[in-house]
Amino acid sequence: MFQTEIREPSLGAFVGQQMGLLVGSLLWCLLTVSLPIWFSDVTRPVGRILESLSIIFLAGVPFFFLGRFVQYRFPGLALSGRWVWVLPALGFMAVLISSLTAGHSAFSDLFSPPGEGEAWWGVLIFTYPTLGSIGYSLGLRLNAHDSQ
């Protein structure tokens, strides 16, 4: 008669998705980082723009489609995974704020680091996981079947 389905987010599902996204984005970065590095060697103004766009695309778009798949196939996981972007985004903001207080801007290093070097660690540790989790959460929220 009444078919009301009550779904509550699960802490275990949230933590599992958070850790899975972290590990997945780190592995994905290691597999795809050669394209942005190649763009960084191209003519500087155009190369830096292409490098930044490739990092944003490679880090966010695949996880957006993963989120779409999870939202379609596992709606119970989708409810708990909508907020997985918060923790990586807070870490990303903390890095930006600390770099500004230290007197330099890490923003350009997180989206367009110079050549091959230690600046790519920031892309690996902060940029890819943050953009991946944002893309994943957007994929979960797009055309969600419930109103929550």
Side-chain angles (χ1 to χ4, degrees):
M1 188 161 130
F2 295 103
Q3 294 184 359
T4 304
E5 183 179 341
I6 300 174
R7 293 184 285 171
E8 295 182 17
S10 163
L11 179 63
F14 173 80
V15 171
Q17 289 176 84
Q18 189 79 63
M19 297 309 296
L21 281 170
L22 176 65
V23 171
S25 65
L26 293 175
L27 292 174
W28 183 245
C29 181
L30 292 174
L31 290 173
T32 62
V33 76
S34 60
L35 181 63
I37 288 176
W38 180 78
F39 280 133
S40 69
D41 294 335
V42 178
T43 308
R44 278 331 255 164
V46 174
R48 291 188 66 101
I49 292 170
L50 291 174
E51 178 185 21
S52 298
L53 290 175
S54 67
I55 288 172
I56 292 168
F57 181 83
L58 288 171
V61 172
F63 290 97
F64 172 81
F65 287 113
L66 177 64
R68 294 294 300 139
F69 174 76
V70 169
Q71 193 269 337
Y72 173 75
R73 188 79 173 126
F74 307 103
L77 285 177
L79 190 60
S80 61
R82 291 182 180 171
W83 296 100
V84 295
W85 63 272
V86 174
L87 292 175
L90 288 174
F92 191 83
M93 293 303 293
V95 167
L96 290 178
I97 291 170
S98 70
S99 72
L100 289 174
T101 58
H104 62 82
S105 174
F107 190 79
S108 63
D109 287 346
L110 292 173
F111 286 101
S112 183
E116 293 185 36
E118 292 180 4
W120 281 96
W121 284 102
V123 173
L124 173 73
I125 296 171
F126 294 106
T127 307
Y128 263 73
T130 302
L131 293 176
S133 62
I134 290 171
Y136 179 78
S137 294
L138 286 174
L140 291 176
R141 295 207 53 91
L142 188 67
N143 294 331
H145 296 291
D146 58 351
S147 61
Q148 293 181 359

